[in-house]
């Protein structure tokens, strides 16, 4: 997929789409929360890479949605 960023962000920040999928619980840490074999739905969402090997789920602000400084990176 595409990586996109705003000009106002730090150079190493960008967002990208994470496509949802279904996976089966088989190991820690999830099998300490759910029983082994349980099917978990991981929904499609947007992540933001924030530098220093850190990614977080990203929720755009209204300002981000309407900005005209987006570019592909």
């Amino acid at each position: 997929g595409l990586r996109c960023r705003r000009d106002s962000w730090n150079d190493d920040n960008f967002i990208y789409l994470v496509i949802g999928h279904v996976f089966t619980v088989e190991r820690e840490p999830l099998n300490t929360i759910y029983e082994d074999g349980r099917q978990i739905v991981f929904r499609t969402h947007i992540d933001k890479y924030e530098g220093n090997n850190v990614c977080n789920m990203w929720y755009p602000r209204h300002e981000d949605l309407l900005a005209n400084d987006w570019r592909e990176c």
Side-chain angles (χ1 to χ4, degrees), residues 22-44:
V22 177
F23 65 92
T24 303
V25 174
E26 300 176 315
R27 61 179 188 266
E28 290 186 19
L30 289 178
N31 69 356
T32 63
I33 301 167
Y34 305 108
E35 67 276 2
D36 278 340
R38 183 175 188 163
Q39 298 268 305
I40 300 292
V41 176
F42 193 70
R43 298 202 185 271
T44 298

Side-chain angles (χ1 to χ4, degrees), residues 2-16 64 67-73:
L2 297 176
R3 299 186 317 178
C4 297
R5 63 179 304 278
R6 293 195 56 197
D7 288 336
S8 59
W9 291 354
N10 294 334
D11 287 341
D12 57 352
N13 288 193
F14 58 85
I15 61 170
Y16 56 95
D64 295 315
N68 61 3
D69 66 344
W70 285 100
R71 64 182 172 93
E72 190 177 329
C73 57

Side-chain angles (χ1 to χ4, degrees), residues 46-62:
I46 300 171
D47 275 355
K48 183 177 182 186
Y49 179 75
E50 299 179 344
N52 296 323
N53 299 321
V54 175
C55 294
N56 283 304
M57 205 177 270
W58 184 70
Y59 301 95
R61 299 171 301 163
H62 210 141

